[in-house]
Amino acid sequence: MGSKRTARSRAWIARQEKDPYVREAKARAYRSRAVFKLEQLDKKDSLFRRGMVVVDLGAAPGSWSQYAAQKVGPEGFVVALDRLNFPPIPGVFQITGDFTGADIQQKLNDALGARQPDLVISDLAPNLSGVQSVDQAAMEDLVIAASRFAWSCLKPKGVLVAKLFEGSHAMGVRNQISCLFRDCQIRKPPASRSHSAEIYLVTGGPIRQTITPLAP
Ligand SMILES: C[S@@+](CC[C@H](N)C(=O)[O-])C[C@H]1O[C@@H](n2cnc3c(N)ncnc32)[C@H](O)[C@@H]1O
């Protein structure tokens, strides 16, 4: 068991050393190579503008928040949430806790106050068990929770970006989220490793139909 784990961590270290995104993240002082997935999604879908209000879910160690804070500038607002503590990022309001808890979502809403987000970015991912069906189900719960939260608070033309896992569940999840948001697109940014099941959903604004009462 121990030697298997050592072999796995050696392989991980070797892969990290060879990875050009890891080197570039270091050179540009980003905390993780994950930043390049967001940068590539941004290049494709023009996600960010200065002055935006952004919520970053599953933010640790913080590279997406670093990128968001740079893009929105000091006139914007970034709130980042993770169950893990991570070192502060200038210009980012951080919350520690489990996103699936109602108390933590209330903390997020309190931090936003009267501000409505323009963009909710979710890189939330469960700790992987290695059992595909278990991991898919845990991912599904997170992405559905993120999309419900985003639906409840985004501006009418706001955008949700959320990670999910490709597989038998993905179409069902996409269909559920399509009921809440216009124009759900699936993206696989080049920085996302080809052997990884992760894909990203990029949506248009939330669908909040106003029901016209029937005439008497
Ligand atoms: C892939 S990492 C995010 C990387 C991040 N986007 C970055 O650029 O540094 C996924 C994160 O989701 C967090 N996470 C998973 N489930 C969570 C939950 N229920 N509540 C809060 N955070 C959670 C994990 O702690 C982990 O830090």
Side-chain angles (χ1 to χ4, degrees):
M1 184 72 179
S3 64
K4 235 193 220 168
R5 200 172 291 157
T6 315
R8 225 183 284 147
S9 33
R10 260 196 245 113
W12 184 85
I13 292 167
R15 201 176 58 201
Q16 290 291 99
E17 279 170 356
K18 266 201 251 150
D19 187 331
Y21 290 117
V22 171
R23 272 190 254 125
E24 199 179 338
K26 265 193 202 141
R28 289 169 60 185
Y30 285 119
R31 294 179 183 178
S32 155
R33 73 185 292 292
V35 70
F36 298 110
K37 302 176 210 173
L38 184 62
E39 187 178 66
Q40 289 161 1
L41 291 168
D42 185 24
K43 283 206 172 119
K44 175 137 190 79
D45 291 299
S46 306
L47 301 171
F48 287 92
R49 289 185 311 281
R50 287 191 86 75
M52 275 183 154
V53 175
V54 180
V55 177
D56 182 8
L57 302 174
S63 73
W64 280 27
S65 285
Q66 289 178 289
Y67 183 84
Q70 285 161 5
K71 296 296 278 192
V72 304
E75 60 272 51
F77 182 72
V78 179
V79 54
L81 178 143
D82 204 286
R83 61 182 171 203
L84 303 178
N85 251 318
F86 58 104
I89 298 169
V92 176
F93 185 95
Q94 288 173 228
I95 298 173
T96 305
D98 182 344
F99 173 66
T100 58
D103 54 331
I104 291 298
Q105 292 197 17
Q106 187 53 51
K107 273 198 184 172
L108 253 179
N109 286 322
D110 292 345
L112 286 166
R115 304 174 189 96
Q116 266 190 295
D118 300 278
L119 181 61
V120 172
I121 50 180
S122 169
D123 204 17
L124 283 164
N127 290 332
L128 297 182
S129 69
V131 180
Q132 208 188 9
S133 58
V134 172
D135 295 338
Q136 287 269 7
M139 186 73 233
E140 185 177 335
D141 288 348
L142 288 174
V143 69
I144 294 294
S147 60
R148 288 210 178 116
F149 168 80
W151 181 86
S152 71
C153 63
L154 271 172
K155 282 183 183 160
K157 288 193 175 163
V159 170
L160 165 70
V161 175
K163 171 156 57 196
L164 70 154
F165 290 157
E166 212 168 15
S168 52
H169 293 246
M171 194 49 81
V173 172
R174 188 183 172 179
N175 289 343
Q176 285 186 59
I177 296 178
S178 312
C179 299
L180 299 178
F181 294 91
R182 279 179 272 278
D183 193 27
C184 292
Q185 299 292 331
I186 297 285
R187 307 275 185 239
K188 177 82 176 171
S192 174
R193 292 186 166 112
S194 52
H195 64 260
S196 160
E198 75 180 4
I199 49 177
Y200 290 87
L201 203 64
V202 178
T203 76
I207 302 168
R208 298 192 190 105
Q209 269 146 355
T210 42
I211 297 167
T212 317
L214 291 173

